[in-house]
Amino acid sequence: MSVPGASNTVLEAVVPYSRMSMIQLLGKIPTQICSQQTSEEMALLAYNRALKLSSPGSPVLGVGFTGSLASTRPKLGDHRLHLSTRTSDRLWVSTVILSKGLRTREQEDKVSSHLLLKAVANACKVPATFVSELTESEVSDESEKQFSEDQELDQLINGQICFKVYPFFNDTHNSKAERKIILSGSFNPLHDGHLKLLEVASSICGDGYPCFEISAVNADKPPLTISQIKDRVKQFENVGKTVIISNQPYFYKKAELFPGSAFVIGADTAARLINPKYYDGDYRKMLEILVGCKRTGCTFLVGGRNVDGVFKVLEDFDIPEELKDLFISIPVEKFRMDISSTEIRKSRGK
């Protein structure tokens, strides 16, 4: 991080040093803090966090490190370190047992740091000149797992990874934009109305990365199968548009996944978002959840849509005062297309 331009690659570093800090990071009490399993869990958490913090399609890396090094008192167990790196399709782990009494704490820290940097370089496929400071008896015990696309999607459906990006959109101007402009839906099928709506929303937002998003997990239906996901993804590849597959069906959860994003929705969805009926009839609960969305830096761009047979726009709804700046209207003169995936499926006899 002392190198100029480090912010182009480093997203975040967290040092869960105390036991309570580690418990809060992992969300559970680990069997053993200094272990291969803990380093793997840290790397997976870091990978998911990196996905949330990066621009869509940027390759991201999560790194986990835990060590038991020389201390003020002699240690009964080994002086050791466990390292893990996680990318979308690869998990790499390494355990090194250091010779006791050979080095000072500062020297053990230096050896650990160099091994950590080497692991990061390897994961990024960056050639690194590295002179090992380990002795012949201190061999690194390494293992690696490669994941296929099907395995990645299976991990997503099971909640291990929070989303997977298919970056088919190759506009270099917007490719580094941190803010995502997201149109969520099932896209069964994708149609011109979806494409036009995201295009108009992107022009309103200005700087941002336009992408579609499908949740593999549905609130009241079984999850999509891997083959269903792949079929829907193919539609976006055909039109050169980025799509994200997530495992969160609810917008307040999507807001946590994609902080600072602009979500593009229809007036029918806006009507549901501000209806206490969908929050167990509790108005205060609705306010609390939507104010939480606002705190993530998210906004909702609302396009006109048929609601119960009547074309409605944002201005037709009574938005609570506390939420008015959460919703932005897409002018009807910029977008109106009365077309739905349901109607297309019916016309195709599906």
Side-chain angles (χ1 to χ4, degrees):
M1 288 162 81
S2 61
V3 178
S7 61
N8 291 325
T9 49
V10 180
L11 293 168
E12 186 175 71
V14 178
V15 187
Y17 212 63
S18 72
R19 179 177 168 78
M20 280 311 298
S21 178
M22 183 65 86
I23 289 168
Q24 285 189 18
L25 179 78
L26 299 178
K28 64 176 186 180
I29 299 171
T31 313
Q32 195 175 8
I33 284 181
C34 183
S35 67
Q36 179 181 310
Q37 185 184 341
T38 299
S39 79
E40 284 184 35
E41 288 174 359
M42 291 168 78
L44 183 59
L45 279 163
Y47 172 72
N48 279 317
R49 179 78 175 145
L51 279 174
K52 295 174 189 177
L53 296 176
S54 64
S55 54
S58 296
V60 296
L61 168 67
V63 184
F65 174 94
T66 176
S68 178
L69 306 179
S71 187
T72 49
R73 299 193 302 272
K75 286 192 170 161
L76 296 174
D78 293 322
H79 291 196
R80 65 195 189 281
L81 57 100
H82 302 277
L83 257 170
S84 292
T85 60
R86 171 69 203 242
T87 58
S88 63
D89 61 354
R90 177 178 177 266
L91 170 68
W92 176 88
V93 293
S94 171
T95 292
V96 178
I97 295 173
L98 300 171
S99 301
K100 267 188 178 178
L102 183 64
R103 302 174 183 87
T104 63
R105 169 57 182 257
E106 192 178 7
Q107 289 168 332
E108 286 189 352
D109 263 335
K110 188 180 173 188
V111 169
S112 303
S113 298
H114 285 179
L115 289 168
L116 182 62
L117 286 171
K118 184 194 175 195
V120 171
N122 286 346
C124 297
K125 298 182 173 62
V126 172
T129 356
F130 180 76
V131 180
S132 175
E133 296 170 49
L134 299 176
T135 65
E136 283 182 18
S137 61
E138 299 172 322
V139 183
S140 171
D141 179 16
E142 298 180 10
S143 66
E144 184 181 46
K145 286 181 199 166
Q146 297 274 357
F147 305 116
S148 65
E149 182 187 2
D150 284 17
Q151 286 172 316
E152 283 181 64
L153 291 172
D154 191 50
Q155 290 171 4
L156 184 142
I157 293 164
N158 293 330
Q160 285 174 270
I161 60 174
C162 57
F163 60 84
K164 177 172 171 58
V165 182
Y166 289 88
F168 300 129
F169 180 63
N170 55 13
D171 182 336
T172 49
H173 173 68
N174 286 320
S175 62
K176 292 297 175 191
E178 288 186 8
R179 188 185 197 204
K180 301 173 186 77
I181 304 163
I182 300 173
L183 177 54
S184 300
S186 56
F187 306 110
N188 182 27
L190 173 69
H191 57 66
D192 286 345
H194 296 134
L195 298 170
K196 179 68 177 167
L197 179 56
L198 186 56
E199 186 187 311
V200 169
S202 301
S203 70
I204 291 170
C205 280
D207 192 33
Y209 187 106
C211 43
F212 295 87
E213 184 259 343
I214 300 171
S215 175
V217 178
N218 198 295
D220 40 33
K221 293 180 193 168
L224 295 176
T225 63
I226 288 169
S227 64
Q228 283 175 322
I229 294 170
K230 285 175 150 181
D231 285 345
R232 294 193 196 180
V233 165
K234 192 76 185 165
Q235 302 176 105
F236 296 93
E237 186 177 11
N238 293 340
V239 293
K241 303 295 180 187
T242 289
V243 61
I244 300 172
I245 309 298
S246 83
N247 53 19
Q248 292 297 350
Y250 299 110
F251 273 106
Y252 73 97
K253 288 291 186 183
K254 292 183 200 289
E256 291 170 13
L257 270 192
F258 311 112
S261 295
F263 290 100
V264 187
I265 61 175
D268 52 338
T269 302
R272 286 196 299 274
L273 280 175
I274 56 167
N275 189 340
K277 171 184 153 185
Y278 296 99
Y279 304 84
D280 306 319
D282 189 334
Y283 183 86
R284 285 177 63 184
K285 185 179 176 182
M286 176 202 78
L287 271 187
E288 193 180 315
I289 285 174
L290 291 177
V291 167
C293 288
K294 199 159 76 162
R295 284 200 199 102
T296 66
C298 289
T299 52
F300 293 99
L301 274 81
V302 184
R305 194 79 193 268
N306 274 322
V307 181
D308 301 325
V310 181
F311 188 83
K312 293 201 171 180
V313 292
L314 179 65
E315 289 73 16
D316 293 320
F317 302 107
D318 186 17
I319 308 287
E321 197 60 42
E322 302 94 318
L323 305 175
K324 283 196 169 161
D325 54 349
L326 185 61
F327 295 92
I328 298 162
S329 181
I330 296 175
V332 72
E333 62 272 15
K334 287 199 172 186
F335 178 82
R336 175 166 182 172
M337 201 174 280
D338 299 344
I339 179 173
S340 80
S341 297
T342 309
E343 293 302 320
I344 292 173
R345 283 200 305 277
K346 279 181 186 171
S347 69
R348 292 177 182 174
K350 291 183 180 179

